[in-house]
Structures are given as structure tokens and as C-alpha cells.
Amino acid sequence: MFLPNSRYARVATVQTTSSTGETVVALKLRQLTPVTGDPRMVQAGDRLDLLAHAIVGDATQFWHVGDANSALDGRSLVETPGDTVRVPRS
């Protein structure tokens, strides 16, 4: 269902019924493991995928940066130049 390097690859699923009576499959809540990271000052034009590519060589691992900062919307982490974002060690 998901690529092997997806953050959802090993997350369990559940079946539930929607408000319309339709049976749907949903992912269980993914528990975040504590991740340490090095602080990095946000520069204009930064994006999580670009940070992941620069640090670990794989832009698809952008979600590790979001997890290290407990961000629900990763875009908010890099929208203000001068803010600090934690970047996990590779």
C-alpha cells in the first residue's frame, strides 16, 4: 500500500464505518519516537525536502524533519527565515 521508506509503511490499519454507513480502512495513529536533531536556522527558500536531500541524500525522507520538530504541517517549520528548526542526524 505504501512505499517501504514511507512513514506509514509499518503502521497498522483498522476498519471502521463512516457517518454514511460505508466501511473504510484507516491507518492507526502513528506513534512518534523521540528524535534528536541539530538546530539549523531557516533560510529563505528552505523546504523540508531540500533539507532532507542535503543532509541524508534522500528528499523523500523530509518527514523525519517534521517528526523531529513534532510538526503537524511541515511547511510551517520553514516559512519564517531566521526561525530555528531541528534537523535529525543521518
Side-chain angles (χ1 to χ4, degrees), residues 23-81:
T23 300
V24 294
V25 176
L27 292 175
K28 283 189 168 186
L29 181 62
R30 184 175 64 93
Q31 297 298 316
L32 295 178
T33 55
V35 177
T36 58
D38 297 318
R40 177 183 170 123
M41 186 178 294
V42 174
Q43 305 293 318
D46 273 349
R47 293 189 340 225
L48 296 187
D49 60 333
L50 298 177
L51 291 174
H53 179 36
I55 293 161
V56 297
D58 184 354
T60 66
Q61 299 300 303
F62 68 91
W63 55 274
H64 287 290
V65 180
D67 284 357
N69 293 276
S70 299
L72 294 177
D73 182 352
R75 294 172 295 191
S76 65
L77 292 173
V78 292
E79 68 186 357
T80 307

Side-chain angles (χ1 to χ4, degrees), residues 6 11 15 20-21 32 41 55 71 77 83:
S6 167
V11 177
Q15 279 193 343
T20 62
L32 295 178
M41 186 178 294
I55 293 161
L77 292 173
D83 281 355

